[in-house]
Amino acid sequence: MSDLAIELHWQRAEPALQTGKYSNAHTVLYNTNHEVQVDAAPDWGGDPDHTNPEQALAAALSSCHMMTFLALCAKAGWPVASYHDYAEAHLGKNPQGQMSVTRIDLNPVVRFDTGFAIDPDELAQMQHRAHRYCFIANTLSDSVEINVR
């Protein structure tokens, strides 16, 4: 199978590495040409203008879910015209008492070509199939909620 990689770079800007007195800001390089500024979540002192690992996890899940959904729709002959999602990662303590992403909510909105209609139950069923086959979802525990709109 594939090995997929990123490059991460962090450089200390402060004179010493001391608890609470250094920046977590760093860069992640995708495919040698797309650099993303990353930091801790704002609640943990990060820059709100930068992405954070929890957002990146939600983005990865949302993107994978969408691509899986589109592949299933293409096989079924469903003419998807557009797909929009609002994904939200929720932070909290897991059953072991450790901080974690406890849940990720996906809120996909799917539009089809004019004249095509699908029963809401069939659409929900297709979204659940996409979740079942999504690589990222299969990597995570069952902490994903899909709210079909």
Side-chain angles (χ1 to χ4, degrees):
M1 297 307 294
S2 298
D3 291 323
L4 305 166
I6 58 96
E7 286 185 44
L8 181 145
H9 179 74
W10 174 85
Q11 180 71 44
R12 191 182 77 234
E14 300 76 19
L17 184 65
Q18 296 177 329
T19 302
K21 296 183 180 181
Y22 64 92
S23 171
N24 285 305
H26 58 284
T27 58
V28 173
L29 184 66
Y30 294 88
N31 303 327
T32 70
N33 63 1
H34 184 72
E35 188 173 278
V36 176
Q37 300 300 310
V38 182
D39 205 341
D43 287 352
W44 297 92
D47 185 337
D49 291 334
H50 294 176
T51 193
N52 58 66
E54 297 80 11
Q55 284 176 313
L57 179 62
L61 176 64
S62 177
S63 180
C64 183
H65 180 89
M66 180 208 65
M67 289 186 283
T68 305
F69 178 82
L70 292 177
L72 292 170
C73 287
K75 284 183 181 181
W78 292 9
V80 176
S82 69
Y83 185 104
H84 174 83
D85 191 12
Y86 176 81
E88 190 170 17
H90 299 272
L91 300 177
K93 291 195 176 183
N94 64 17
Q96 293 77 33
Q98 300 167 316
M99 285 302 295
S100 71
V101 174
T102 57
R103 191 178 83 235
I104 299 174
D105 295 341
L106 302 181
N107 297 279
V109 177
V110 180
R111 300 283 183 250
F112 296 98
D113 287 352
T114 303
F116 183 84
I118 195 75
D119 180 85
D121 289 338
E122 287 183 88
L123 179 59
Q125 194 173 44
M126 186 69 87
Q127 288 286 3
H128 290 293
R129 282 185 63 211
H131 177 65
R132 196 168 60 245
Y133 295 121
C134 170
F135 300 166
I136 302 299
N138 288 331
T139 303
L140 303 172
S141 66
D142 49 6
S143 61
V144 178
E145 186 172 310
I146 301 168
N147 303 303
V148 178
R149 297 181 185 243

